[in-house]
Amino acid sequence: MKKKKKKKVIRLFSLRKHECTARCRGTTALDGFQPTTKDDTDNRNPSKTLNKRQASASPPKVLTQTGKKKKKNTLTPLLDVTFTGAFGNFLVGLMKLDRVTVPEESDVDPAIAPCQNPKFGDYQCNNAMGLWSKVKGKGTQFKGHYEESPASEMVDSCSIAGPGFVNVVLSRPWIAKSIQKMLVDGIETWAPKLPVKRAVVDFSSPNIAKEMHVGHLRSTIIGDTLARMLEFSNVEVLRRNHVGDWGTQFGMLIEYLFEKFPSGEVANDQAIGDLEAFYKASKQRFDSDPVFKERAQRAVVSLQAGDEKYRKAWSQICEISRKGYEKVYQRLGVHLEEKGESFYNPYIPGALELLSNQGLIEESEGARVIFIEGKNIPLIVVKRDGGYNYASTDLTALWYRLNEEKAEWIIYVTDVGQRSTLRCSLLLEANELFGMFFQAAKRAGWLPAEDNKYPRASHVGFGLVLGEDGKRFRTRSTETVKLVDLLDEAKNRCKAALIERGKATEWTEEELEKTAEAVGYGAVKYADLKNNRTTNYTFSFDQMLNDKGNTAVYLLYAHARICSIIRRSGKDIEELKKTGTLDLVHPDERTLGLHLLQFAEIVEEACTNLFPNLLCEYLYNLSEDFTRFYTNCQVVGSAEETSRLLLCEATAVVMRKCFHLLGITPVYKI
C-alpha cells in the first residue's frame, strides 16, 4: 500500500502587526518537545533530547476542525492566556523557541499585517513561503501542504490564500474575553512594551525675552504627545525645555534694562511692559547706536564672567519670560522641566576636550570645527573669537543626557525648515543640521554607528503652520500670532457656540467655561496632530471647530454620547464589569471589538516611528466603528443590553486614553 506523503505544517502562534512569532513546522527539532518538568530539566532544550533521526520525524498530530482526535500538542496551553501590552507580545516565550528550532537562521520572523480585505481574515502572514525556504529548502515544497494550526483560544481559523499567504481569523470569544479583562484590570494592561527604559524628549524650547507664538505650537504639542505615549509605554521620560537663555542677545537686553531701571531692580512684571516690545526696542538700539552696542558687548563679557549685577539682571529677564511661558503651558496642560543653554554652559569645555582628545576637532580659518564626511560645511564648535555657539551647546547637552542622565533615546522636536536663529548659527535645513550633529556624536563613539541601535538620537521634524493664504500664519498686520491669543480665540469661539445652543441656561458658568476650554484647546491640538508632522498644514478655526468630520469637536461629542448612553441605561457600569459578560455576536460588535484590541499596537507604532497622527487616525476610525455599531445594534432595552453596555464602556475607556495621550481633556456631556 502506497504511503501518503506527509504534510508540512505552518503554525502561527503570535499575531502582531510588526514582529510576531510564526513557526514553519515540518521536520524541525521542535517536534516531540515536551514541557519542562521537575525531574527532566534537559527538556528545556529540545536539541539535548533529540538525535538527528528524531529531529526529522513527522510533525505531531493535532486536533483539527474535522473533530478527529489527534495527538495532544503540548504547546497549545501556552496560547490560551490573556495578553497584556501590544497585541501578540504575550507570546515572548514562543518567540525564544524559534531560535532553538532554527539556530542557524537569524531572520525567521514573519511579516504580519492586518488583512486589507476583512473577508479574508483579521491578520495575514505575507512571507510564509520565504520562511519555509529558509527553514526547509525550496519554496515550492510548501505549496499545497498546509494543516490547521493547533486548537487555540485566540485563533478561530487559519487559511491559505495563494502561494504562501496565511490568513488568520481571531476567535470572537477570545476578543471579548480580552476586552472584558481590560475593563476589570485597567487600560494600563494594554500598554506596549518598548526596548528602552529612559528617554529625553527635547521640545517647545522658546527663546527668552520673546513671547511664545504660533511657531512654538507644533513643537510643544507634538513633543508633549510623544512624551505621553512613551510614558504610557512605561518609559521614564525626561521632558526637557531647552530654552534659549544664553548668548550675545542678553548683552543688549541687560543694558536696555539698566537704562530703564538704573538700579537694576524691576519692581514687577508689568513694569517691564510687553516683553516682545522690550526685546524689539533693545534690538533697535543695538543696531542704531554704536555706543550702546559697545556697552552691550561688554555686558556679555561681564555676564559670562559671573558678575553679580549682570547675573541678577539676566535672572530677572529669564524669570519674567518663564512666567509668560508657564501661562501657555498651563492652558495646554503641558509639563516641562527647564534645562536651557545656560545649564550646559559649564560642561562645554569638558565635552569639547573629550572630542579634541579623540582628534575630532580641527582648526579651520581661525575657528575650531568638526569635519563631517560628505559635507562641504564643517560643524563649528568654537568661533573665531573663542566663544561657544549652539553646536557646542547641543553636543554638550547630548553628552550630558547620555552620561549623566543615562538616557537611551534622545528625541529632538523642531521644525524641518531653515534654522538660522533657533539653536543654530548655520543656515541649514534642520534635517541636514541634525544629521551632521548626530554624525559627529557617532564619530566620537557617543552613539552607535547603526541608527537602529541604542542609545540613539532622533530628530522629529515638522512643517509650518500656514494661513489660509498659503503663507506663514500671521496677523493682518503681518505680526506673528501670539500663542496665548490663538488659544483665547479658540476657547471664546467654543463658548459662543455653546451659548448659542442654549447651554448657558442648562449648565453652571464653571461647566460652560471648562467645556469651552476642553473643546477649544483640544480642537487646536487635534488639528495639528492629525496631520503627518513632516508636512505643512493650514490653520483654520472654522475647520477645526466643525462638529462634523475628523475634528476634536466631533470626537469629544462622540465620547460624550457614549457616556450619555450608559447614563440613560440607569445601570451601574462598575457593577456590570464584575457581573456581566461581553459577547460579540453581531458583525459590527466584532469589528468594534477587534479595533479596540489593536489600540496598543497603534500606540507602539506611533512611538516607534514618532508619528502622533497614527493615533489620531485610530481614534477617528474607532468613533466611526462605534457609530456603525450603535446604528445597527440596539443597546438600551435590548436582550443584549449588558454586553453592549460593556462594549460602550470599553470604547469610552479607549477613547479617553487616546485623548489623554493627545493632551486633550474629554467631555462627558454635550
Side-chain angles (χ1 to χ4, degrees), residues 57-94:
S58 60
K61 296 179 180 179
V62 297
L63 183 64
T64 64
Q65 290 182 342
T66 60
K68 295 179 181 179
K69 192 173 182 181
K70 306 286 185 177
K71 182 178 178 180
K72 183 180 179 182
N73 187 291
T74 57
L75 289 179
T76 300
L78 289 175
L79 301 177
D80 299 329
V81 294
T82 305
F83 84 99
T84 59
F87 185 43
N89 275 349
F90 63 103
L91 293 178
V92 173
L94 281 178

mmCIF file of all heavy atoms in Angstrom, residues 57-94:
data_model
loop_
_atom_site.group_PDB
_atom_site.id
_atom_site.type_symbol
_atom_site.label_atom_id
_atom_site.label_comp_id
_atom_site.label_asym_id
_atom_site.label_seq_id
_atom_site.Cartn_x
_atom_site.Cartn_y
_atom_site.Cartn_z
ATOM 1 N N ALA A 57 11.632 13.560 12.334
ATOM 2 C CA ALA A 57 10.374 12.822 12.349
ATOM 3 C C ALA A 57 9.236 13.709 11.884
ATOM 4 O O ALA A 57 9.353 14.921 11.815
ATOM 5 C CB ALA A 57 10.104 12.317 13.763
ATOM 6 N N SER A 58 8.114 13.076 11.556
ATOM 7 C CA SER A 58 6.959 13.828 11.070
ATOM 8 C C SER A 58 6.378 14.670 12.192
ATOM 9 O O SER A 58 6.554 14.371 13.366
ATOM 10 C CB SER A 58 5.894 12.864 10.552
ATOM 11 O OG SER A 58 5.489 12.003 11.593
ATOM 12 N N PRO A 59 5.657 15.723 11.852
ATOM 13 C CA PRO A 59 5.117 16.618 12.870
ATOM 14 C C PRO A 59 4.080 15.921 13.731
ATOM 15 O O PRO A 59 3.430 14.990 13.283
ATOM 16 C CB PRO A 59 4.488 17.746 12.048
ATOM 17 C CG PRO A 59 4.240 17.155 10.717
ATOM 18 C CD PRO A 59 5.322 16.159 10.499
ATOM 19 N N PRO A 60 3.916 16.377 14.972
ATOM 20 C CA PRO A 60 2.915 15.765 15.830
ATOM 21 C C PRO A 60 1.527 16.017 15.300
ATOM 22 O O PRO A 60 1.263 17.041 14.682
ATOM 23 C CB PRO A 60 3.129 16.476 17.171
ATOM 24 C CG PRO A 60 3.699 17.792 16.804
ATOM 25 C CD PRO A 60 4.554 17.527 15.613
ATOM 26 N N LYS A 61 0.634 15.090 15.531
ATOM 27 C CA LYS A 61 -0.745 15.270 15.092
ATOM 28 C C LYS A 61 -1.442 16.222 16.050
ATOM 29 O O LYS A 61 -1.126 16.294 17.225
ATOM 30 C CB LYS A 61 -1.453 13.924 15.056
ATOM 31 C CG LYS A 61 -0.830 12.977 14.034
ATOM 32 C CD LYS A 61 -1.527 11.650 14.033
ATOM 33 C CE LYS A 61 -0.896 10.710 13.003
ATOM 34 N NZ LYS A 61 -1.554 9.386 12.985
ATOM 35 N N VAL A 62 -2.416 16.916 15.518
ATOM 36 C CA VAL A 62 -3.103 17.927 16.320
ATOM 37 C C VAL A 62 -4.595 17.735 16.208
ATOM 38 O O VAL A 62 -5.082 16.981 15.362
ATOM 39 C CB VAL A 62 -2.732 19.353 15.834
ATOM 40 C CG1 VAL A 62 -1.267 19.598 16.015
ATOM 41 C CG2 VAL A 62 -3.144 19.554 14.392
ATOM 42 N N LEU A 63 -5.348 18.475 17.020
ATOM 43 C CA LEU A 63 -6.798 18.448 16.951
ATOM 44 C C LEU A 63 -7.230 19.470 15.916
ATOM 45 O O LEU A 63 -7.067 20.665 16.106
ATOM 46 C CB LEU A 63 -7.396 18.794 18.325
ATOM 47 C CG LEU A 63 -8.923 18.733 18.426
ATOM 48 C CD1 LEU A 63 -9.389 17.294 18.201
ATOM 49 C CD2 LEU A 63 -9.377 19.226 19.779
ATOM 50 N N THR A 64 -7.754 19.009 14.801
ATOM 51 C CA THR A 64 -8.149 19.902 13.717
ATOM 52 C C THR A 64 -9.644 20.120 13.750
ATOM 53 O O THR A 64 -10.371 19.535 14.547
ATOM 54 C CB THR A 64 -7.755 19.305 12.358
ATOM 55 O OG1 THR A 64 -8.490 18.099 12.161
ATOM 56 C CG2 THR A 64 -6.269 18.997 12.318
ATOM 57 N N GLN A 65 -10.127 20.951 12.833
ATOM 58 C CA GLN A 65 -11.541 21.278 12.796
ATOM 59 C C GLN A 65 -12.403 20.102 12.349
ATOM 60 O O GLN A 65 -13.613 20.157 12.422
ATOM 61 C CB GLN A 65 -11.780 22.476 11.864
ATOM 62 C CG GLN A 65 -11.224 23.769 12.442
ATOM 63 C CD GLN A 65 -11.498 24.943 11.550
ATOM 64 O OE1 GLN A 65 -11.805 24.787 10.375
ATOM 65 N NE2 GLN A 65 -11.399 26.130 12.100
ATOM 66 N N THR A 66 -11.769 19.044 11.853
ATOM 67 C CA THR A 66 -12.551 17.876 11.447
ATOM 68 C C THR A 66 -13.097 17.142 12.654
ATOM 69 O O THR A 66 -13.991 16.314 12.543
ATOM 70 C CB THR A 66 -11.668 16.902 10.636
ATOM 71 O OG1 THR A 66 -10.584 16.484 11.465
ATOM 72 C CG2 THR A 66 -11.130 17.588 9.392
ATOM 73 N N GLY A 67 -12.551 17.443 13.838
ATOM 74 C CA GLY A 67 -13.032 16.832 15.056
ATOM 75 C C GLY A 67 -12.361 15.519 15.380
ATOM 76 O O GLY A 67 -12.635 14.902 16.410
ATOM 77 N N LYS A 68 -11.469 15.024 14.516
ATOM 78 C CA LYS A 68 -10.789 13.762 14.788
ATOM 79 C C LYS A 68 -9.772 13.964 15.901
ATOM 80 O O LYS A 68 -9.052 14.938 15.942
ATOM 81 C CB LYS A 68 -10.083 13.270 13.524
ATOM 82 C CG LYS A 68 -11.056 12.916 12.420
ATOM 83 C CD LYS A 68 -10.301 12.457 11.184
ATOM 84 C CE LYS A 68 -11.262 12.128 10.056
ATOM 85 N NZ LYS A 68 -10.565 11.690 8.834
ATOM 86 N N LYS A 69 -9.711 12.977 16.757
ATOM 87 C CA LYS A 69 -8.794 13.069 17.878
ATOM 88 C C LYS A 69 -7.376 12.839 17.410
ATOM 89 O O LYS A 69 -7.076 11.847 16.764
ATOM 90 C CB LYS A 69 -9.173 12.057 18.945
ATOM 91 C CG LYS A 69 -8.437 12.290 20.254
ATOM 92 C CD LYS A 69 -8.954 11.375 21.327
ATOM 93 C CE LYS A 69 -8.238 11.645 22.636
ATOM 94 N NZ LYS A 69 -8.708 10.752 23.699
ATOM 95 N N LYS A 70 -6.513 13.747 17.737
ATOM 96 C CA LYS A 70 -5.111 13.665 17.336
ATOM 97 C C LYS A 70 -4.234 13.687 18.565
ATOM 98 O O LYS A 70 -4.684 13.900 19.691
ATOM 99 C CB LYS A 70 -4.743 14.851 16.431
ATOM 100 C CG LYS A 70 -5.655 14.994 15.218
ATOM 101 C CD LYS A 70 -5.382 13.958 14.175
ATOM 102 C CE LYS A 70 -6.225 14.190 12.928
ATOM 103 N NZ LYS A 70 -5.939 13.249 11.869
ATOM 104 N N LYS A 71 -2.960 13.504 18.331
ATOM 105 C CA LYS A 71 -2.008 13.564 19.424
ATOM 106 C C LYS A 71 -2.008 14.963 20.029
ATOM 107 O O LYS A 71 -1.987 15.957 19.321
ATOM 108 C CB LYS A 71 -0.604 13.222 18.907
ATOM 109 C CG LYS A 71 0.451 13.208 20.007
ATOM 110 C CD LYS A 71 1.790 12.811 19.427
ATOM 111 C CE LYS A 71 2.856 12.853 20.505
ATOM 112 N NZ LYS A 71 4.177 12.468 19.956
ATOM 113 N N LYS A 72 -2.012 15.019 21.341
ATOM 114 C CA LYS A 72 -2.062 16.312 22.026
ATOM 115 C C LYS A 72 -0.838 17.154 21.720
ATOM 116 O O LYS A 72 0.277 16.685 21.786
ATOM 117 C CB LYS A 72 -2.159 16.085 23.536
ATOM 118 C CG LYS A 72 -2.286 17.388 24.323
ATOM 119 C CD LYS A 72 -2.376 17.110 25.795
ATOM 120 C CE LYS A 72 -2.481 18.410 26.569
ATOM 121 N NZ LYS A 72 -2.518 18.163 28.021
ATOM 122 N N ASN A 73 -1.047 18.432 21.381
ATOM 123 C CA ASN A 73 0.064 19.349 21.139
ATOM 124 C C ASN A 73 0.389 20.065 22.442
ATOM 125 O O ASN A 73 -0.437 20.779 22.994
ATOM 126 C CB ASN A 73 -0.318 20.377 20.064
ATOM 127 C CG ASN A 73 0.850 21.236 19.669
ATOM 128 O OD1 ASN A 73 1.302 22.034 20.453
ATOM 129 N ND2 ASN A 73 1.313 21.049 18.455
ATOM 130 N N THR A 74 1.579 19.868 22.911
ATOM 131 C CA THR A 74 1.936 20.367 24.238
ATOM 132 C C THR A 74 2.143 21.869 24.289
ATOM 133 O O THR A 74 2.283 22.436 25.350
ATOM 134 C CB THR A 74 3.229 19.685 24.723
ATOM 135 O OG1 THR A 74 4.254 19.924 23.761
ATOM 136 C CG2 THR A 74 3.021 18.197 24.899
ATOM 137 N N LEU A 75 2.170 22.526 23.118
ATOM 138 C CA LEU A 75 2.367 23.974 23.122
ATOM 139 C C LEU A 75 1.057 24.731 23.264
ATOM 140 O O LEU A 75 1.042 25.897 23.600
ATOM 141 C CB LEU A 75 3.058 24.418 21.826
ATOM 142 C CG LEU A 75 4.519 24.026 21.682
ATOM 143 C CD1 LEU A 75 5.044 24.509 20.350
ATOM 144 C CD2 LEU A 75 5.353 24.577 22.811
ATOM 145 N N THR A 76 -0.061 24.065 22.997
ATOM 146 C CA THR A 76 -1.346 24.744 22.992
ATOM 147 C C THR A 76 -1.646 25.508 24.276
ATOM 148 O O THR A 76 -2.107 26.639 24.219
ATOM 149 C CB THR A 76 -2.472 23.734 22.693
ATOM 150 O OG1 THR A 76 -2.219 23.151 21.427
ATOM 151 C CG2 THR A 76 -3.830 24.424 22.676
ATOM 152 N N PRO A 77 -1.379 24.950 25.474
ATOM 153 C CA PRO A 77 -1.686 25.703 26.688
ATOM 154 C C PRO A 77 -0.990 27.057 26.757
ATOM 155 O O PRO A 77 -1.491 27.967 27.385
ATOM 156 C CB PRO A 77 -1.208 24.769 27.809
ATOM 157 C CG PRO A 77 -1.287 23.408 27.210
ATOM 158 C CD PRO A 77 -0.916 23.596 25.770
ATOM 159 N N LEU A 78 0.165 27.197 26.109
ATOM 160 C CA LEU A 78 0.856 28.483 26.124
ATOM 161 C C LEU A 78 0.054 29.546 25.395
ATOM 162 O O LEU A 78 0.186 30.726 25.647
ATOM 163 C CB LEU A 78 2.236 28.348 25.477
ATOM 164 C CG LEU A 78 3.281 27.559 26.272
ATOM 165 C CD1 LEU A 78 4.534 27.419 25.435
ATOM 166 C CD2 LEU A 78 3.585 28.221 27.592
ATOM 167 N N LEU A 79 -0.799 29.133 24.476
ATOM 168 C CA LEU A 79 -1.561 30.092 23.694
ATOM 169 C C LEU A 79 -2.762 30.611 24.460
ATOM 170 O O LEU A 79 -3.230 31.707 24.234
ATOM 171 C CB LEU A 79 -2.048 29.424 22.404
ATOM 172 C CG LEU A 79 -0.958 28.864 21.502
ATOM 173 C CD1 LEU A 79 -1.605 28.182 20.315
ATOM 174 C CD2 LEU A 79 -0.026 29.939 21.038
ATOM 175 N N ASP A 80 -3.305 29.808 25.347
ATOM 176 C CA ASP A 80 -4.554 30.148 25.992
ATOM 177 C C ASP A 80 -4.322 31.003 27.230
ATOM 178 O O ASP A 80 -4.569 30.596 28.356
ATOM 179 C CB ASP A 80 -5.310 28.869 26.349
ATOM 180 C CG ASP A 80 -5.629 28.071 25.089
ATOM 181 O OD1 ASP A 80 -5.805 28.713 24.046
ATOM 182 O OD2 ASP A 80 -5.683 26.837 25.166
ATOM 183 N N VAL A 81 -3.781 32.174 27.001
ATOM 184 C CA VAL A 81 -3.550 33.124 28.080
ATOM 185 C C VAL A 81 -4.083 34.470 27.636
ATOM 186 O O VAL A 81 -4.253 34.731 26.455
ATOM 187 C CB VAL A 81 -2.046 33.255 28.412
ATOM 188 C CG1 VAL A 81 -1.527 31.965 28.980
ATOM 189 C CG2 VAL A 81 -1.241 33.656 27.192
ATOM 190 N N THR A 82 -4.376 35.327 28.600
ATOM 191 C CA THR A 82 -4.865 36.658 28.277
ATOM 192 C C THR A 82 -3.681 37.584 28.087
ATOM 193 O O THR A 82 -2.798 37.649 28.925
ATOM 194 C CB THR A 82 -5.759 37.169 29.413
ATOM 195 O OG1 THR A 82 -6.788 36.205 29.636
ATOM 196 C CG2 THR A 82 -6.382 38.494 29.044
ATOM 197 N N PHE A 83 -3.675 38.309 26.978
ATOM 198 C CA PHE A 83 -2.495 39.109 26.671
ATOM 199 C C PHE A 83 -2.520 40.432 27.418
ATOM 200 O O PHE A 83 -3.558 40.935 27.812
ATOM 201 C CB PHE A 83 -2.405 39.361 25.168
ATOM 202 C CG PHE A 83 -3.225 40.521 24.686
ATOM 203 C CD1 PHE A 83 -2.638 41.746 24.467
ATOM 204 C CD2 PHE A 83 -4.583 40.395 24.442
ATOM 205 C CE1 PHE A 83 -3.378 42.824 24.024
ATOM 206 C CE2 PHE A 83 -5.328 41.464 24.002
ATOM 207 C CZ PHE A 83 -4.723 42.674 23.792
ATOM 208 N N THR A 84 -1.334 40.978 27.629
ATOM 209 C CA THR A 84 -1.170 42.341 28.116
ATOM 210 C C THR A 84 -0.207 43.031 27.173
ATOM 211 O O THR A 84 0.575 42.393 26.493
ATOM 212 C CB THR A 84 -0.601 42.380 29.545
ATOM 213 O OG1 THR A 84 0.654 41.712 29.558
ATOM 214 C CG2 THR A 84 -1.550 41.718 30.528
ATOM 215 N N GLY A 85 -0.238 44.355 27.150
ATOM 216 C CA GLY A 85 0.650 45.089 26.256
ATOM 217 C C GLY A 85 0.155 45.058 24.835
ATOM 218 O O GLY A 85 -1.016 44.814 24.556
ATOM 219 N N ALA A 86 1.057 45.309 23.895
ATOM 220 C CA ALA A 86 0.695 45.325 22.479
ATOM 221 C C ALA A 86 0.276 43.926 22.062
ATOM 222 O O ALA A 86 0.769 42.918 22.565
ATOM 223 C CB ALA A 86 1.870 45.816 21.640
ATOM 224 N N PHE A 87 -0.647 43.875 21.143
ATOM 225 C CA PHE A 87 -1.251 42.622 20.710
ATOM 226 C C PHE A 87 -0.181 41.640 20.238
ATOM 227 O O PHE A 87 0.542 41.879 19.306
ATOM 228 C CB PHE A 87 -2.228 42.960 19.577
ATOM 229 C CG PHE A 87 -3.033 41.811 19.088
ATOM 230 C CD1 PHE A 87 -3.580 40.922 19.977
ATOM 231 C CD2 PHE A 87 -3.243 41.641 17.738
ATOM 232 C CE1 PHE A 87 -4.336 39.871 19.525
ATOM 233 C CE2 PHE A 87 -3.993 40.595 17.279
ATOM 234 C CZ PHE A 87 -4.551 39.706 18.171
ATOM 235 N N GLY A 88 -0.058 40.501 20.882
ATOM 236 C CA GLY A 88 0.907 39.484 20.495
ATOM 237 C C GLY A 88 2.143 39.421 21.348
ATOM 238 O O GLY A 88 2.865 38.432 21.314
ATOM 239 N N ASN A 89 2.397 40.456 22.143
ATOM 240 C CA ASN A 89 3.626 40.474 22.942
ATOM 241 C C ASN A 89 3.655 39.419 24.039
ATOM 242 O O ASN A 89 4.706 39.115 24.589
ATOM 243 C CB ASN A 89 3.810 41.851 23.593
ATOM 244 C CG ASN A 89 4.500 42.811 22.663
ATOM 245 O OD1 ASN A 89 5.018 42.415 21.621
ATOM 246 N ND2 ASN A 89 4.497 44.083 23.014
ATOM 247 N N PHE A 90 2.474 38.885 24.384
ATOM 248 C CA PHE A 90 2.434 37.947 25.495
ATOM 249 C C PHE A 90 2.966 36.566 25.115
ATOM 250 O O PHE A 90 3.053 35.668 25.938
ATOM 251 C CB PHE A 90 0.998 37.813 26.012
ATOM 252 C CG PHE A 90 0.037 37.251 25.007
ATOM 253 C CD1 PHE A 90 -0.384 35.939 25.088
ATOM 254 C CD2 PHE A 90 -0.450 38.047 23.982
ATOM 255 C CE1 PHE A 90 -1.273 35.431 24.163
ATOM 256 C CE2 PHE A 90 -1.336 37.539 23.061
ATOM 257 C CZ PHE A 90 -1.754 36.229 23.143
ATOM 258 N N LEU A 91 3.370 36.367 23.855
ATOM 259 C CA LEU A 91 3.918 35.071 23.442
ATOM 260 C C LEU A 91 5.438 35.130 23.320
ATOM 261 O O LEU A 91 6.032 34.511 22.452
ATOM 262 C CB LEU A 91 3.303 34.654 22.104
ATOM 263 C CG LEU A 91 1.804 34.332 22.177
ATOM 264 C CD1 LEU A 91 1.268 33.992 20.816
ATOM 265 C CD2 LEU A 91 1.544 33.204 23.136
ATOM 266 N N VAL A 92 6.075 35.884 24.188
ATOM 267 C CA VAL A 92 7.531 36.024 24.146
ATOM 268 C C VAL A 92 8.213 34.668 24.305
ATOM 269 O O VAL A 92 9.236 34.384 23.679
ATOM 270 C CB VAL A 92 8.012 36.995 25.247
ATOM 271 C CG1 VAL A 92 9.525 37.028 25.335
ATOM 272 C CG2 VAL A 92 7.463 38.380 24.973
ATOM 273 N N GLY A 93 7.654 33.821 25.148
ATOM 274 C CA GLY A 93 8.241 32.503 25.356
ATOM 275 C C GLY A 93 8.368 31.714 24.080
ATOM 276 O O GLY A 93 9.403 31.090 23.809
ATOM 277 N N LEU A 94 7.332 31.756 23.258
ATOM 278 C CA LEU A 94 7.380 31.030 21.992
ATOM 279 C C LEU A 94 8.346 31.672 21.011
ATOM 280 O O LEU A 94 8.932 31.007 20.169
ATOM 281 C CB LEU A 94 5.985 30.961 21.374
ATOM 282 C CG LEU A 94 5.060 29.891 21.979
ATOM 283 C CD1 LEU A 94 3.697 29.964 21.325
ATOM 284 C CD2 LEU A 94 5.648 28.514 21.819
#
